[in-house]
Amino acid sequence: MDEAAVRERLEGVADPDLGEDIVSLGLVNAVQVDDEDGVIRVSLALGAPYAPTETAIAEAVRDALADTDYALDISANVESDLSSEEEVLPNVKNVIAVASGKGGVGKSTVAVNLAAGLSQLGARVGLFDADIYGPNVPRMVDADEAPHATDQETIIPPQKYGMKLMSMAFLVGEDDPVIWRGPMVHKLLTQLVEDVEWGALDYLVLDLPPGTGDTQLTILQTLPLTGAVIVTTPEEVALDDANKGLRMFGKHDTNVLGIVENMSGFVCPDCGNEHEIFGKGGGKQFAADNDLPFLGGIPLDPSVRAGGDGGEPVVLDDEPGEVGDAFKIVTENVANNVGVVQRREVSRRANQNSPTQ
């Protein structure tokens, strides 16, 4: 068997989201047939580690070559189109911003459970609490270890639940308010991102402050975001503000990975009836109206509050129930959509560089 024969077989492996085979899409980086060692090595342009869809693509590749006499070695890598000087976080594969147009919709709760859910899947994850004025992440994961500085004036972040953590809450007193103007916020955020030793990460999840102010602008101008997740509750007031956040990302050409509807219905533990306290379906309709993926709805449930206050994200519960399962679905959908963004960009670049173009 030679490289051409391998590629011919791989033409039968389809990308379920992009609608073509992985060879035509340019998602096969390289093929090497090592007759001496009896190994076929395939490098795939898959950029969302542990995403269910990309795991399925890799399995389809294995199936396509399963009846050969060769062992199969699959690797995944997406080459950046940035120079080494342009890369801010060269060892971080994906940066995901979790945002909301207004406060009180559970954005930090979604960010924490998303990061914890990705870590639970097996990914290498960092969680950056970029909500300078109201940092809550350390409490929500019960992180009592502070970061420490190295002799090279870099910062080693603490870890919890397999996640590397950074937050303004580590740097100020527990009850001290942060009263800073925009330029100071910009400088601090830049330092916290660039001076932290994040190491190699599959995902860096950013918990942005609510709204569309200086912090969001700094993030958009500084970091190469893979995409953003917008969190809203179902009622019209929240959706109006979510729309502002959506327009902000649109103006900065940032991919929106989808919409999460939080506090989506409350099931009474006594009577079993569902009560639409904030309405229901508004986030899903908002996603449909803007041609965006709906990532899932999170029920209004006391376990979410208890998990946040107690520092135990509900997505990590051994027996998660409806709410934990909802967060798992959101996590998988976010990872899958990160993969779509990455593979679509790889395919775009491949078609640009094609000699037939």
Side-chain angles (χ1 to χ4, degrees):
M1 177 167 287
D2 57 13
E3 177 183 342
V6 172
R7 287 183 177 271
E8 183 177 355
R9 288 186 176 224
L10 296 183
E11 287 175 354
V13 177
D15 184 312
D17 297 305
L18 303 187
E20 296 183 54
D21 70 87
I22 61 174
V23 175
S24 300
L25 290 168
L27 301 181
V28 180
N29 294 325
V31 172
Q32 180 188 36
V33 180
D34 188 335
D35 291 319
E36 183 175 344
D37 292 335
V39 178
I40 296 174
R41 298 183 178 89
V42 179
S43 173
L44 300 173
L46 303 180
Y50 299 93
T53 296
E54 295 205 346
T55 298
I57 291 174
E59 286 302 314
V61 169
R62 291 188 182 280
D63 291 343
L65 299 169
D67 62 347
T68 69
D69 295 327
Y70 294 81
L72 183 59
D73 180 7
I74 297 179
S75 60
N77 180 53
V78 173
E79 293 289 340
S80 172
D81 58 352
L82 300 176
S83 67
S84 57
E85 292 79 13
E86 293 174 317
E87 289 193 352
V88 178
L89 295 168
N91 296 318
V92 177
K93 293 182 180 179
N94 298 289
V95 182
I96 303 171
V98 180
S100 66
K102 68 187 296 292
V105 299
K107 167 189 56 60
S108 293
T109 297
V110 171
V112 167
N113 280 277
L114 170 61
L118 290 168
S119 179
Q120 187 181 50
L121 289 176
R124 299 167 298 177
V125 179
L127 177 56
F128 180 28
D129 185 359
D131 193 344
I132 297 297
Y133 300 109
N136 301 122
V137 165
R139 175 186 290 277
M140 298 177 76
V141 297
D142 192 26
D144 52 9
E145 178 189 350
H148 65 273
T150 68
D151 294 337
Q152 291 75 38
E153 298 185 350
T154 59
I155 301 172
I156 305 296
Q159 297 191 45
K160 193 67 181 285
Y161 301 121
M163 304 179 290
K164 295 183 178 180
L165 307 171
M166 183 49 60
S167 171
M168 186 66 192
F170 291 133
L171 308 178
V172 299
E174 183 175 347
D175 299 319
D176 294 338
V178 178
I179 308 173
W180 289 355
R181 295 187 183 276
M184 295 178 68
V185 171
H186 179 93
K187 182 178 180 180
L188 175 72
L189 283 173
T190 302
Q191 287 183 320
L192 286 182
V193 170
E194 297 180 356
D195 294 346
V196 172
E197 293 192 8
W198 292 108
L201 296 179
D202 298 314
Y203 302 95
L204 177 60
V205 177
L206 309 180
D207 178 22
L208 296 185
T212 55
D214 288 333
T215 303
Q216 292 87 343
L217 184 60
T218 295
I219 293 293
L220 289 168
Q221 293 175 339
T222 303
L223 294 180
L225 295 184
T226 307
V229 173
I230 295 178
V231 181
T232 185
T233 44
E235 77 274 21
E236 291 296 329
V237 171
L239 294 170
D240 288 344
D241 290 326
N243 188 59
K244 295 175 184 176
L246 176 61
R247 303 306 164 209
M248 174 187 69
F249 289 116
K251 287 183 178 180
H252 289 83
D253 298 324
T254 299
N255 294 297
V256 175
L257 301 172
I259 308 298
V260 175
E261 180 179 294
N262 197 23
M263 307 181 198
S264 178
F266 170 71
V267 177
C268 175
D270 297 323
C271 68
N273 293 327
E274 183 173 5
H275 304 277
E276 298 177 358
I277 296 175
F278 296 102
K280 188 171 183 178
K284 187 173 186 178
Q285 187 60 49
F286 177 73
D289 291 343
N290 289 279
D291 196 24
L292 291 170
F294 180 63
L295 300 171
I298 309 298
L300 181 63
D301 191 278
S303 64
V304 179
R305 190 275 310 160
D309 286 349
E312 299 178 354
V314 68
V315 72
L316 299 179
D317 287 353
D318 292 333
E319 298 180 3
E322 182 183 3
V323 179
D325 287 343
F327 275 119
K328 289 178 184 292
I329 290 171
V330 167
T331 299
E332 292 182 355
N333 285 338
V334 170
N336 281 336
N337 288 348
V338 166
V340 172
V341 168
Q342 292 279 26
R343 300 196 306 279
R344 183 182 291 134
E345 177 60 19
V346 168
S347 182
R348 184 192 67 79
R349 294 203 302 259
N351 288 331
Q352 277 186 338
N353 296 329
S354 172
T356 61
Q357 299 297 312

